[in-house]
Amino acid sequence: GTGTIFLARKGKDRRRCALKVLRPEFRSSASLSEGLVREGEIIRQLNENYPGQVFITLFDQGVFHDSGTDHPYLVLEYVEGPNLRNYVRQHGALEPFTAISAARDLADGLSRVHESGFVHGDISPENVMWVANAALRRAGEPRFRLIDFGDSRKFDLDVRAEEIAGKPAFLSPEQTTGAAATPASD
């Protein structure tokens, strides 16, 4: 959508990470800039409150200066592996144990998102990444990472959505009518 992800190196150890910025044509949008900042804040809160969960890790966030304006960026964990859709395309259906493990990990992670008062807003196979390199996986952590919290927001049952967010094929019925997203929407 509106962002670009770059493979980058971070710190003295030159650890690989993902650098997320808005695409140049969207950088003048205050609401999209605020959305990227909000995404970082949500991920940071989830990482702090629920370490070792299925969420992608936020290493840093800030602003960079370009053409006289400050623009937000996020430095995220780099997940070497395909998203769930591409994994299934490449390898076929998940083995039952892997499918159950993935479903459990993702459901546990989503319950933490909801406990924090947020909805993800864009649960789809493209936003579930397979951690391909077992050596890069932290001990005991899930094989999958939930990414792209750009459509995430606090849920409020009394507020209608101003815009429909998420992929059309994965929208809940209430989202298609403009009703507010709730945990059940995920």
Side-chain angles (χ1 to χ4, degrees), residues 111-126:
S111 72
R112 302 302 181 267
V113 171
H114 300 153
E115 285 171 14
S116 297
F118 299 106
V119 290
H120 183 278
D122 193 13
I123 299 297
S124 66
E126 289 79 12

Side-chain angles (χ1 to χ4, degrees), residues 36-96:
L36 188 61
V37 171
R38 181 181 64 241
E39 178 179 7
E41 291 168 354
I42 290 169
I43 297 169
R44 180 180 312 283
Q45 181 179 339
L46 292 170
N47 290 167
E48 288 173 357
N49 292 332
Y50 307 105
Q53 284 287 325
V54 70
F55 324 116
I56 192 140
T57 301
L58 176 72
F59 294 129
D60 194 14
Q61 74 181 100
V63 294
F64 67 95
H65 194 71
D66 183 40
S67 302
T69 309
D70 288 338
H71 305 285
Y73 68 84
L74 304 177
V75 180
L76 302 159
E77 169 186 12
Y78 173 73
V79 179
E80 183 175 359
N83 64 40
L84 184 56
R85 180 178 304 284
N86 290 336
Y87 181 87
V88 170
R89 283 183 180 154
Q90 293 169 1
H91 303 283
L94 296 176
E95 295 293 325

